[in-house]
Amino acid sequence: MKQIPLYSIVIFPDPEQIMLIKSYKQLLKKNIGWFGSVNSDAHITLINFENEFLFHLYINQIRQFCRTIIPKKVVFKTFESFGTSTFYIAPDKTSQFYLDKIIVDLHNYLNFKINNTHAHLTIARSLDSYRIKSAFKLFSKTEINFEFLCDSIYVRKFNELNQQYSDIIEKIDFFK
């Protein structure tokens, strides 16, 4: 079984958007049953660290990197999927470029290899083709227009008790 990273560095949408996505997840769960990420808060993952040592080795560099990022409004407008496994909310093209650049530049800044990137807000993971089709049908009349100022990242620590990244241990602002 794959080890769950101890730390996850993420971007959060606005609190109201997090709550709305949580309601989407619960509605979907009522319609298709349990799925991966049903209990996780909406976020965009930038990078994960497997253990305490690696996190502490790189956190100061991450703080320095954040000083170089200019905050920008990002927009999420459509429901999309990665094949038949992941249902998500996608950013518009300009926001996609901005967010993907942050991810790639952070990896490069830390000298980490990155295989691919596609910033998104996951609704559901570990689906099959039937459940992906059901998700698209369920949300076919739902309009999405999430806008928020992307001006910081958050450091989340995995909580063994609730099996979620529920412990927010630091907020790091951009361009300060």
Side-chain angles (χ1 to χ4, degrees):
M1 188 168 167
K2 188 177 175 188
Q3 178 184 347
I4 296 172
L6 185 60
Y7 291 94
S8 183
I9 312 298
V10 303
I11 294 170
F12 283 125
D14 289 343
E16 302 81 24
Q17 295 162 345
I18 291 172
M19 293 307 294
L20 188 56
I21 292 171
K22 186 176 287 214
S23 73
Y24 292 166
K25 291 180 179 210
Q26 293 308 309
L27 178 61
L28 187 58
K29 181 181 173 187
K30 285 181 184 177
N31 282 267
I32 67 169
W34 185 91
F35 51 83
S37 77
V38 69
N39 295 318
S40 68
D41 284 340
H43 65 277
I44 301 158
T45 302
L46 302 181
I47 196 166
N48 294 321
F49 293 95
E50 301 299 321
N51 57 52
E52 201 84 36
F53 175 77
L54 286 174
F55 170 72
H56 288 292
L57 189 62
Y58 290 102
I59 188 59
N60 284 330
Q61 286 178 269
I62 292 169
R63 290 180 188 117
Q64 291 171 346
F65 172 79
C66 287
R67 292 186 196 118
T68 70
I69 302 172
I70 296 170
K72 184 175 180 179
K73 181 181 80 170
V74 292
V75 179
F76 286 74
K77 288 194 158 237
T78 58
F79 290 107
E80 294 186 17
S81 69
F82 294 126
T84 59
S85 65
T86 303
F87 183 66
Y88 64 92
I89 302 171
D92 66 13
K93 287 181 182 181
T94 302
S95 300
Q96 186 79 60
F97 179 79
Y98 172 76
L99 293 166
D100 286 352
K101 185 169 175 25
I102 290 172
I103 296 168
V104 170
D105 289 352
L106 175 60
H107 280 78
N108 289 338
Y109 191 84
L110 300 175
N111 291 316
F112 278 31
K113 183 181 177 192
I114 185 165
N115 294 326
N116 60 50
T117 183
H118 191 88
H120 63 281
L121 295 167
T122 299
I123 302 289
R125 290 186 289 106
S126 306
L127 303 180
D128 55 33
S129 60
Y130 173 77
R131 296 188 326 154
I132 281 279
K133 287 177 191 170
S134 297
F136 274 109
K137 184 176 179 182
L138 181 64
F139 293 103
S140 65
K141 291 183 175 30
T142 304
E143 286 191 34
I144 295 289
N145 189 20
F146 291 163
E147 294 183 10
F148 62 93
L149 181 62
C150 182
D151 62 354
S152 59
I153 64 171
Y154 293 81
V155 179
R156 306 182 309 162
K157 186 173 183 181
F158 189 75
N159 184 311
E160 290 288 338
L161 295 176
N162 64 18
Q163 296 290 295
Q164 295 291 318
Y165 287 99
S166 57
D167 300 345
I168 309 301
I169 63 169
E170 185 174 354
K171 176 184 178 187
I172 305 170
D173 291 324
F174 292 166
F175 201 64
K176 293 210 173 181

